[in-house]
Amino acid sequence: MQHLVGIVGYRGYSGAELVSILRAHPHVRPVLMEHRADGDGTGDSVIRVGGAKPLHEIPATTEAVRAEKIEIVCLATPAEVSMQLAPQMLGAGARVIDLSGAFRLRSVEEYTRWYREPHTHPELLAEAVYGLPEFCRDRIARARLLANPGCYPTAANLALQPLTEAGIIDRTAGVVCDAKSGVSGAGRKPSLKTSFCEVTENFSTYSFLNHRHVPEVLMVSGLEEAELSFTAQLLPVHRGILETIYFRAAKSTGAKDLLSIYEKRYKGEPFIRIHDAGHAPDLRAVAHTNFCDIGLTFDAGTGRAVVVSAIDNLVKGAAGQAVQNMNLMLGLIEIEGLL
Amino acid sequence: MQHLVGIVGYRGYSGAELVSILRAHPHVRPVLMEHRADGDGTGDSVIRVGGAKPLHEIPATTEAVRAEKIEIVCLATPAEVSMQLAPQMLGAGARVIDLSGAFRLRSVEEYTRWYREPHTHPELLAEAVYGLPEFCRDRIARARLLANPGCYPTAANLALQPLTEAGIIDRTAGVVCDAKSGVSGAGRKPSLKTSFCEVTENFSTYSFLNHRHVPEVLMVSGLEEAELSFTAQLLPVHRGILETIYFRAAKSTGAKDLLSIYEKRYKGEPFIRIHDAGHAPDLRAVAHTNFCDIGLTFDAGTGRAVVVSAIDNLVKGAAGQAVQNMNLMLGLIEIEGLL
Amino acid sequence: MQHLVGIVGYRGYSGAELVSILRAHPHVRPVLMEHRADGDGTGDSVIRVGGAKPLHEIPATTEAVRAEKIEIVCLATPAEVSMQLAPQMLGAGARVIDLSGAFRLRSVEEYTRWYREPHTHPELLAEAVYGLPEFCRDRIARARLLANPGCYPTAANLALQPLTEAGIIDRTAGVVCDAKSGVSGAGRKPSLKTSFCEVTENFSTYSFLNHRHVPEVLMVSGLEEAELSFTAQLLPVHRGILETIYFRAAKSTGAKDLLSIYEKRYKGEPFIRIHDAGHAPDLRAVAHTNFCDIGLTFDAGTGRAVVVSAIDNLVKGAAGQAVQNMNLMLGLIEIEGLL
Amino acid sequence: MQHLVGIVGYRGYSGAELVSILRAHPHVRPVLMEHRADGDGTGDSVIRVGGAKPLHEIPATTEAVRAEKIEIVCLATPAEVSMQLAPQMLGAGARVIDLSGAFRLRSVEEYTRWYREPHTHPELLAEAVYGLPEFCRDRIARARLLANPGCYPTAANLALQPLTEAGIIDRTAGVVCDAKSGVSGAGRKPSLKTSFCEVTENFSTYSFLNHRHVPEVLMVSGLEEAELSFTAQLLPVHRGILETIYFRAAKSTGAKDLLSIYEKRYKGEPFIRIHDAGHAPDLRAVAHTNFCDIGLTFDAGTGRAVVVSAIDNLVKGAAGQAVQNMNLMLGLIEIEGLL
């Protein structure tokens, strides 16, 4: 049996990645959903021989969703578009996976503070399930509206939450998360900041302690705002997020002890890979995969630890995690289409 | 049923790509074959949780091939190593797919001229089948020793052969093939020429009319040596080959006529994509795929044509084409594991 | 004595390069000329300590040019803006160096054909001097309106003109010029085609025989349109143009003979470097310099030759050549500020 | 008058940068000093026309230094070569600027601990002057043996020292220095880790708290080892170092107060640029310059601060700073050849 899954925003980088993963998924038939007549100006040429079959394309309307019996609609759209479309798609009987930040936070106040715009559908914030599968599979499986986690918080929380849960972080000294992202994280809309000539052979800081993903990190990791320093920086690469996390241990410990916290917490997890002590992950190993790689070092003399967490921002940080959540929501095997 | 396929040279770029494709192949179980204790010096760290299962590993010996009942051995090794291993593996009862240039040419003289070293197993040159599936599926299916085509000749011949066959090229004016390749084409062995600081923000010519792939282009395309100018240039990208081919039409024609030569020739081909007239392919669209994309333009006033051909040098130019050949040799569906 | 030289369009890549070169010029004081209040949206932060002194800034008006006694106005602006500003600046008593294509061609018909828009000041086409210093220093020195050559034609003509002059090219076989350019050649205005994620790890053809620089190549090289195949392709680098030029020799010759054509023609030229036979230039060696590097190979058996020409598109292909022309116009030493 | 300055190791990236800066220096004549017959294998082609005049070349021997009256010898060599050559060159009457780590630390014990090899000339450690011009111009001017600072410590200390001096850092919470470097910092010797295909589209951690530059940071900044977490990471760029530094303020302060610490400390410094509050420097702005750009943000609610420091590792982090030191040693204007 083939499940029908619609994708709005399929021309963006996350949306296109989602289409690409779902095309190869054995139990899903992806359907392109056209939201606006927003030509992308690239003048893609027609392919006259060979290549993959074109996908079915419908408008992103309630009528089309009902008529085509779309089970799940994935919104790879900006938050303001998701806020508008999500209630419509739910109203048409579909379940919704939203890849934007529209439904990730718990309160209207928090949303307004960090996204600097009003929330037009606060009634959905309570219902939305935050979909980090490693932490809440049951709720995800039953979700009607799933908020797919942000790319930075995914890498941060998979590294931080086991440590805060184990009480191993000395919170009085604070936690530093120095995050670096590839350019696709900024979306496909042209801008000077993401122009090739501005990015290549460059490295720049674009969010100095005030990134809108900070509240997601706090929400899942359990850290307080005063305990976390988070900066977001732009790497001259297409895809990938690597976060270097610094903290001081709350008690006497060692690299092996820290590793065993992760090993216990993530035993059996298909998409978490833990490196040997002293070895840090890199972007290459996670590119085009749904893995989150974690590595660490610990200096016994000073009690200082460094944890490095790496994901592909378009896969585990967006489209891959959306498919992982979709598999759970549809009762399919969680890794289907992802390994 | 799972076919056992061994890979020698799995640490190189082509070999690693082959392992990666075969891991996901539904009817093949890849086996790593260790040829030398050539540590690659990267100190890969052990992964402690998650990730893919480690593959079975055996020595690249006749005993091991017999004991493990390896059906096909893929040699992703330099030509001199392939010349040594191919007869051994054949002697042990395995069929061989060789990704090097050792068995692609038809005569010892030609080999010696272009590779500048003697050929140690001339008796195998006559038997070896040159494996460009679009041109000779039957012979490939029966091959005991398959010579997988070079990356440059694959892109060149898929574009040129239909044109020479149709007699549309004015050979008196000559054919220019301006070829550009990503750095992985040079292999994984460190050298100053492939160092990051020498390649990034650079573009350089490394073969001026005398590339060892030239005889393969002549052999398949049917052009004479005096008719072809071929240069190989280094692009600051990881993977991909794009060749820009220039010729003058032998008779009155048009872009549509030229396209229809390709459309007729490649009708039903799963891995050839022909663009609309006036649209050229790029590397992005073929990266990580087994496609060869072809596009062209024609200037009626002057009779000049330009054809652009693009492939991923590690996939259609090496490992992907090897798997395509392997599927044919094993009687499997040709696209299995490749789409 | 300091000459006052104004720069309009100083926020673009060529304009900024021009400012940077002129800042270090011992006999020139650059003046920024504001044409439109076109904020570039990057929010450049104020520098509070150290750094270079801010430059004087005036509006790009006839009044300001007269009041400030600007001797030369450099227009690093699009052709339509240059067509509008050039007559104004000339009217205000300044000489003009235009970096756009507005005044490079000889007739309105040619301009309209290749630039696909009408020419609003045809009376200036006759007066404008095409400023390739290696070919016409005297006329440049006296020019009131100087048309700075395009980047592609500079690299092409410096390689081609000595050959056509020497009659060494077999024109019946045609000449191929396969040109590759860095992204800064497309200007600073954001677009999808020049976005980092579209360009990195990619290589694409963007002009298939119909580039607007073609008539400039024909005008200087002396080739006929029917004899030249020219394509323009986009390299994933910031700066640099490399052109690979293919032709067949008209008579019996050799690499040494071809080199000696260049050596005689360019003897004493400060910015032309000729490589030994068989060695091709690359982009690295010309980056951030005003050099044009030329190398070649010749196959005696077939009579085919390949010439490679490399420049920095922002220096010898734009701002550097403009300064070279400016030096000639002001009676300064030609290499001042450029070596 | 022209001072004669020799460069050993001129084929490496720092050495070549030094030659390039000194070629344009108005009061210095650079002399290449050949240490070993270490051909670099690139087969540089002879330039037959144009280009810069070849430099004078002598062997790196005491005889040649005496005969040619070399005033200063710059060693752009590995630490073990510098340890061997420095005493020889001093013995021949030259002053020495060493760009390696051989003479930067204060004791043999420290050297042995961090460089993991014995120091063969401990007697020179006491004499060597650590050459960070912003901190000790007088001693530099008189130095016979100058230890040019490491690239990472230069960026770190220019940002940290004014803060520790002002007592504004809460040392109990520790300081994090997350450092990123371009690939040229690893030198020119080919290795898998600096191969294009391994670096492009990647980002990796290569030193986890144990970088040999750590003691230099401690020595100048005045931090204790237990207070500093330092990691070194590899950026896919040719040149540039950016360090993101995190700390908590020891007392009530604000971004303006922090900025004024830098403004007072660096008033009149030619190579330090301080950005407005909330603006971080990037690599682009310092590439090919001797500037160190510093920017910061401060969160009043939590007392957390982030400082970003950026330099070109080959200029302010190596060759440029060496020339700055050389100018001081020769009694020249400090910025000569550098602006």
Side-chain angles (χ1 to χ4, degrees):
Chain A
M1 182 202 156
Q2 295 283 92
H3 298 275
L4 288 174
V5 174
I7 302 111
V8 188
Y10 57 85
R11 286 198 185 85
Y13 291 128
S14 295
E17 189 80 19
L18 194 48
V19 171
S20 161
I21 296 173
L22 292 180
R23 260 183 187 284
H25 194 294
H27 303 304
V28 165
R29 191 147 67 80
V31 176
L32 306 182
M33 296 178 66
E34 190 71 38
H35 175 48
R36 286 180 199 150
D38 49 358
D40 64 1
T42 50
D44 291 337
S45 75
V46 177
I47 300 288
R48 301 165 69 98
V49 168
K53 258 194 307 188
L55 295 175
H56 188 42
E57 192 161 349
I58 62 171
T61 60
T62 51
E63 296 74 22
V65 166
R66 277 199 196 95
E68 302 279 341
K69 301 199 165 68
I70 303 293
E71 271 181 85
I72 293 186
V73 173
C74 297
L75 301 175
T77 44
E80 61 272 22
V81 176
S82 290
M83 270 191 282
Q84 174 203 337
L85 287 180
Q88 295 176 17
M89 300 297 123
L90 292 170
R95 295 164 87 184
V96 168
I97 297 176
D98 178 34
L99 280 75
S100 84
F103 303 104
R104 291 180 194 148
L105 302 184
R106 283 173 186 149
S107 75
V108 171
E109 292 69 34
E110 235 184 345
Y111 183 84
T112 309
R113 172 180 167 202
W114 291 95
Y115 286 77
R116 290 161 194 269
E117 58 182 12
H119 199 292
T120 57
H121 284 276
E123 77 282 3
L124 291 173
L125 286 184
E127 178 184 355
V129 173
Y130 187 82
L132 198 54
E134 286 75 11
F135 293 103
C136 53
R137 288 191 167 84
D138 292 351
R139 294 191 61 216
I140 292 169
R142 297 187 306 266
R144 201 173 69 115
L145 169 56
L146 187 123
N148 208 54
C151 48
Y152 284 121
T154 295
N157 287 323
L158 289 170
L160 280 170
Q161 199 274 352
L163 301 173
T164 52
E165 193 181 62
I168 198 73
I169 294 178
D170 174 4
R171 292 176 170 226
T172 65
V175 172
V176 165
C177 180
D178 187 276
K180 301 96 179 167
S181 172
V183 184
S184 59
R188 199 169 177 231
K189 202 174 155 208
S191 80
L192 188 58
K193 293 193 179 200
T194 56
S195 283
F196 182 83
C197 290
E198 306 292 319
V199 172
T200 189
E201 288 290 310
N202 200 359
F203 180 79
S204 60
T205 308
Y206 68 91
S207 181
F208 240 18
L209 299 180
N210 56 358
H211 196 281
R212 54 170 62 172
H213 281 174
V214 165
E216 275 183 71
V217 177
L218 303 177
M219 182 174 79
V220 176
S221 70
L223 290 173
E224 299 296 321
E225 191 173 344
E227 294 164 355
L228 177 70
S229 293
F230 178 95
T231 59
Q233 295 158 105
L234 193 65
L235 277 173
V237 305
H238 184 142
R239 47 168 82 209
I241 279 183
L242 188 142
E243 300 183 14
T244 315
I245 296 169
Y246 301 80
F247 66 92
R248 203 159 62 193
K251 49 191 170 194
S252 177
T253 184
K256 280 183 78 172
D257 294 342
L258 292 173
L259 280 181
S260 75
I261 291 173
Y262 287 114
E263 289 172 1
K264 277 183 208 150
R265 181 66 189 75
Y266 291 132
K267 192 170 178 187
E269 281 297 342
F271 296 120
I272 311 289
R273 299 190 296 200
I274 310 296
H275 282 253
D276 249 7
H279 287 92
D282 64 14
L283 293 186
R284 172 74 23 112
V286 295
H288 299 280
T289 80
N290 200 47
F291 290 118
C292 176
D293 281 8
I294 295 173
L296 61 85
T297 196
F298 182 74
D299 183 326
T302 63
R304 289 172 284 118
V306 186
V307 179
V308 174
S309 175
I311 62 171
D312 183 325
N313 62 308
L314 293 178
V315 188
K316 185 63 178 170
Q321 187 145 268
V323 171
Q324 200 179 347
N325 284 318
M326 180 204 75
N327 284 336
L328 290 167
M329 289 165 73
L330 293 172
L332 302 171
I333 295 172
E334 187 173 339
I335 62 171
E336 202 82 84
L338 291 170
L339 270 189
Chain B
M1 182 204 157
Q2 295 283 91
H3 298 274
L4 287 174
V5 174
I7 302 110
V8 188
Y10 57 84
R11 286 199 185 86
Y13 292 127
S14 295
E17 188 80 18
L18 194 47
V19 172
S20 161
I21 297 172
L22 291 181
R23 260 184 188 284
H25 194 294
H27 303 304
V28 165
R29 190 147 66 80
V31 176
L32 305 182
M33 296 178 68
E34 191 70 39
H35 175 48
R36 287 182 199 147
D38 49 359
D40 63 0
T42 50
D44 292 337
S45 71
V46 177
I47 301 287
R48 301 166 72 100
V49 168
K53 259 194 306 189
L55 296 174
H56 188 44
E57 191 161 350
I58 64 172
T61 60
T62 52
E63 295 74 23
V65 166
R66 277 199 196 94
E68 303 279 340
K69 302 198 165 70
I70 304 291
E71 270 181 88
I72 293 186
V73 173
C74 296
L75 301 175
T77 44
E80 60 273 22
V81 177
S82 291
M83 270 191 281
Q84 174 203 337
L85 288 181
Q88 295 177 17
M89 300 297 122
L90 293 169
R95 297 163 88 184
V96 168
I97 297 176
D98 178 34
L99 280 75
S100 84
F103 303 104
R104 291 179 195 151
L105 302 183
R106 283 172 186 149
S107 75
V108 171
E109 292 68 35
E110 235 184 344
Y111 183 84
T112 308
R113 172 180 167 203
W114 291 96
Y115 286 77
R116 289 160 194 270
E117 60 182 10
H119 199 291
T120 57
H121 284 275
E123 76 282 4
L124 290 173
L125 286 184
E127 179 186 355
V129 173
Y130 186 81
L132 198 54
E134 286 74 12
F135 293 101
C136 52
R137 287 192 169 85
D138 292 351
R139 295 191 62 216
I140 292 169
R142 297 187 306 265
R144 201 174 67 115
L145 170 57
L146 187 121
N148 208 54
C151 48
Y152 284 121
T154 295
N157 287 323
L158 289 170
L160 281 170
Q161 199 275 353
L163 302 173
T164 52
E165 193 182 62
I168 198 71
I169 294 177
D170 173 4
R171 292 176 171 225
T172 65
V175 172
V176 165
C177 181
D178 187 276
K180 302 96 179 167
S181 172
V183 184
S184 60
R188 197 168 178 233
K189 204 175 153 209
S191 80
L192 188 58
K193 294 193 178 198
T194 56
S195 284
F196 182 83
C197 291
E198 306 292 320
V199 173
T200 190
E201 289 290 311
N202 201 358
F203 180 79
S204 60
T205 308
Y206 69 91
S207 182
F208 240 19
L209 300 180
N210 56 359
H211 197 280
R212 54 172 60 173
H213 281 174
V214 165
E216 274 184 71
V217 177
L218 303 177
M219 182 176 80
V220 176
S221 70
L223 291 173
E224 298 296 322
E225 191 174 343
E227 294 164 356
L228 177 70
S229 293
F230 178 94
T231 60
Q233 295 159 103
L234 193 64
L235 277 173
V237 305
H238 184 142
R239 48 168 81 210
I241 279 183
L242 188 141
E243 300 183 13
T244 315
I245 296 170
Y246 301 81
F247 66 93
R248 202 159 63 193
K251 49 191 170 194
S252 177
T253 184
K256 281 182 78 171
D257 294 342
L258 292 172
L259 280 181
S260 74
I261 292 173
Y262 287 114
E263 288 172 1
K264 276 182 207 151
R265 182 66 188 75
Y266 291 133
K267 190 169 179 189
E269 281 298 342
F271 296 120
I272 312 289
R273 298 190 297 200
I274 309 297
H275 282 252
D276 245 8
H279 287 92
D282 64 14
L283 292 186
R284 169 78 19 117
V286 295
H288 299 279
T289 80
N290 199 48
F291 291 118
C292 176
D293 282 7
I294 296 174
L296 61 84
T297 196
F298 181 74
D299 182 326
T302 64
R304 289 172 283 120
V306 187
V307 178
V308 175
S309 175
I311 61 171
D312 183 325
N313 62 308
L314 294 178
V315 189
K316 184 64 177 170
Q321 188 144 267
V323 171
Q324 199 180 347
N325 284 318
M326 180 205 75
N327 284 336
L328 291 167
M329 289 165 73
L330 292 173
L332 301 172
I333 297 172
E334 188 174 339
I335 62 171
E336 202 81 83
L338 290 171
L339 270 190
Chain C
M1 181 203 157
Q2 295 283 93
H3 298 276
L4 289 174
V5 175
I7 302 111
V8 188
Y10 58 85
R11 287 199 185 86
Y13 291 127
S14 295
E17 189 79 17
L18 194 48
V19 172
S20 161
I21 296 173
L22 291 181
R23 259 184 189 284
H25 194 294
H27 302 305
V28 165
R29 191 147 65 80
V31 177
L32 306 182
M33 295 178 66
E34 190 72 38
H35 174 48
R36 286 182 200 148
D38 50 358
D40 64 0
T42 50
D44 290 337
S45 71
V46 177
I47 300 288
R48 300 166 72 99
V49 168
K53 258 195 306 190
L55 296 175
H56 188 44
E57 192 162 350
I58 63 171
T61 60
T62 52
E63 295 74 21
V65 166
R66 277 199 197 94
E68 303 279 340
K69 303 197 165 68
I70 303 292
E71 272 180 86
I72 293 187
V73 173
C74 296
L75 301 175
T77 44
E80 60 272 23
V81 176
S82 291
M83 270 191 282
Q84 175 204 335
L85 288 181
Q88 296 177 16
M89 299 297 121
L90 293 170
R95 296 164 87 184
V96 168
I97 297 177
D98 178 35
L99 280 76
S100 84
F103 303 103
R104 291 181 196 147
L105 302 183
R106 284 173 187 148
S107 75
V108 171
E109 292 68 36
E110 236 185 343
Y111 183 85
T112 308
R113 173 181 166 202
W114 292 96
Y115 286 77
R116 288 159 196 271
E117 58 183 11
H119 199 291
T120 57
H121 285 275
E123 78 282 4
L124 290 173
L125 286 184
E127 178 186 354
V129 173
Y130 187 82
L132 199 55
E134 286 74 11
F135 293 102
C136 52
R137 288 192 168 84
D138 293 349
R139 295 191 61 216
I140 292 170
R142 297 188 305 265
R144 201 173 67 115
L145 170 56
L146 187 123
N148 208 53
C151 48
Y152 284 121
T154 295
N157 287 324
L158 289 170
L160 280 170
Q161 199 275 351
L163 301 173
T164 53
E165 193 182 60
I168 199 72
I169 294 178
D170 174 4
R171 292 175 171 227
T172 65
V175 172
V176 165
C177 181
D178 187 277
K180 303 94 178 168
S181 172
V183 184
S184 59
R188 198 167 177 233
K189 203 173 154 210
S191 80
L192 188 57
K193 293 192 180 199
T194 57
S195 283
F196 182 83
C197 290
E198 306 292 319
V199 172
T200 190
E201 289 289 311
N202 200 359
F203 180 78
S204 60
T205 307
Y206 69 90
S207 182
F208 240 17
L209 300 180
N210 55 358
H211 197 279
R212 54 169 62 171
H213 282 174
V214 165
E216 273 183 74
V217 177
L218 303 177
M219 183 175 78
V220 177
S221 71
L223 290 173
E224 299 295 320
E225 191 173 345
E227 294 164 356
L228 178 70
S229 294
F230 178 94
T231 60
Q233 296 158 103
L234 193 65
L235 276 173
V237 306
H238 183 140
R239 48 168 80 211
I241 279 183
L242 188 142
E243 300 184 13
T244 315
I245 296 171
Y246 301 81
F247 67 93
R248 201 158 65 194
K251 47 192 170 193
S252 177
T253 184
K256 280 183 78 170
D257 295 341
L258 293 173
L259 280 181
S260 73
I261 291 173
Y262 287 114
E263 288 172 0
K264 276 182 209 151
R265 181 66 187 76
Y266 292 132
K267 191 169 177 190
E269 282 296 342
F271 296 119
I272 311 289
R273 299 190 297 200
I274 309 296
H275 282 252
D276 246 7
H279 287 93
D282 63 14
L283 292 187
R284 169 77 21 116
V286 294
H288 300 280
T289 81
N290 199 48
F291 290 118
C292 175
D293 282 8
I294 296 174
L296 62 85
T297 196
F298 182 74
D299 183 326
T302 63
R304 290 172 283 117
V306 187
V307 179
V308 175
S309 176
I311 60 170
D312 184 323
N313 62 307
L314 294 178
V315 189
K316 184 64 177 166
Q321 187 145 267
V323 171
Q324 199 179 347
N325 283 318
M326 179 204 76
N327 285 336
L328 291 167
M329 289 165 73
L330 292 174
L332 302 172
I333 297 172
E334 187 174 338
I335 62 171
E336 202 81 83
L338 291 170
L339 269 189
Chain D
M1 182 203 159
Q2 296 283 92
H3 299 275
L4 288 175
V5 174
I7 302 110
V8 188
Y10 57 84
R11 286 199 184 85
Y13 292 127
S14 295
E17 188 80 19
L18 194 48
V19 172
S20 161
I21 296 172
L22 291 181
R23 260 185 186 283
H25 194 293
H27 303 304
V28 165
R29 190 147 66 81
V31 176
L32 306 182
M33 296 178 66
E34 191 71 38
H35 176 47
R36 287 180 199 148
D38 50 358
D40 64 359
T42 50
D44 291 337
S45 73
V46 177
I47 300 289
R48 300 165 69 100
V49 168
K53 259 193 306 189
L55 295 175
H56 188 43
E57 191 162 349
I58 64 171
T61 61
T62 52
E63 295 74 24
V65 166
R66 276 201 197 94
E68 302 279 341
K69 302 199 165 69
I70 303 291
E71 271 181 87
I72 293 186
V73 173
C74 297
L75 301 175
T77 44
E80 60 272 22
V81 177
S82 290
M83 270 190 282
Q84 175 203 335
L85 287 180
Q88 295 176 17
M89 299 297 122
L90 292 170
R95 296 163 88 184
V96 168
I97 297 176
D98 178 34
L99 280 76
S100 84
F103 303 104
R104 292 181 196 146
L105 302 183
R106 284 174 187 147
S107 75
V108 171
E109 292 69 34
E110 235 185 345
Y111 184 84
T112 309
R113 173 180 167 203
W114 292 95
Y115 285 76
R116 291 160 194 271
E117 59 182 11
H119 199 290
T120 57
H121 285 276
E123 76 284 2
L124 290 173
L125 286 183
E127 178 185 355
V129 173
Y130 187 83
L132 199 53
E134 286 74 11
F135 293 102
C136 52
R137 287 192 169 85
D138 292 350
R139 296 190 61 215
I140 292 169
R142 296 187 305 266
R144 202 173 67 116
L145 170 55
L146 187 122
N148 207 54
C151 48
Y152 285 121
T154 295
N157 287 324
L158 289 170
L160 281 169
Q161 200 275 353
L163 301 174
T164 52
E165 194 183 58
I168 198 71
I169 294 178
D170 174 4
R171 291 174 171 228
T172 65
V175 172
V176 164
C177 181
D178 187 277
K180 302 95 179 167
S181 173
V183 185
S184 60
R188 198 169 177 230
K189 204 175 153 208
S191 81
L192 188 57
K193 295 193 178 198
T194 56
S195 283
F196 183 84
C197 291
E198 306 292 320
V199 172
T200 190
E201 289 289 310
N202 200 0
F203 179 80
S204 60
T205 307
Y206 69 90
S207 182
F208 241 17
L209 299 181
N210 55 359
H211 196 279
R212 54 170 63 171
H213 281 175
V214 166
E216 273 183 73
V217 177
L218 303 177
M219 183 175 79
V220 177
S221 70
L223 291 173
E224 299 297 321
E225 191 173 345
E227 295 164 355
L228 177 70
S229 293
F230 178 95
T231 59
Q233 296 158 104
L234 193 65
L235 276 173
V237 306
H238 183 142
R239 48 168 80 210
I241 279 183
L242 188 142
E243 300 184 13
T244 315
I245 296 170
Y246 300 81
F247 66 93
R248 203 158 62 193
K251 48 190 171 195
S252 177
T253 185
K256 280 182 80 170
D257 294 341
L258 293 173
L259 280 181
S260 74
I261 291 173
Y262 286 114
E263 287 171 1
K264 276 182 210 151
R265 182 68 188 74
Y266 290 133
K267 190 167 180 191
E269 282 296 343
F271 295 119
I272 311 288
R273 298 189 296 199
I274 310 295
H275 282 252
D276 250 6
H279 288 93
D282 64 15
L283 292 186
R284 170 76 22 114
V286 295
H288 299 280
T289 81
N290 200 47
F291 291 118
C292 176
D293 282 7
I294 296 174
L296 61 84
T297 196
F298 182 73
D299 183 326
T302 64
R304 289 171 284 118
V306 186
V307 179
V308 174
S309 176
I311 61 171
D312 184 324
N313 62 308
L314 293 178
V315 189
K316 184 64 178 169
Q321 188 145 266
V323 172
Q324 199 178 347
N325 284 318
M326 180 204 75
N327 284 336
L328 290 168
M329 289 165 72
L330 292 173
L332 301 172
I333 296 172
E334 187 173 341
I335 62 171
E336 202 81 83
L338 291 170
L339 269 190

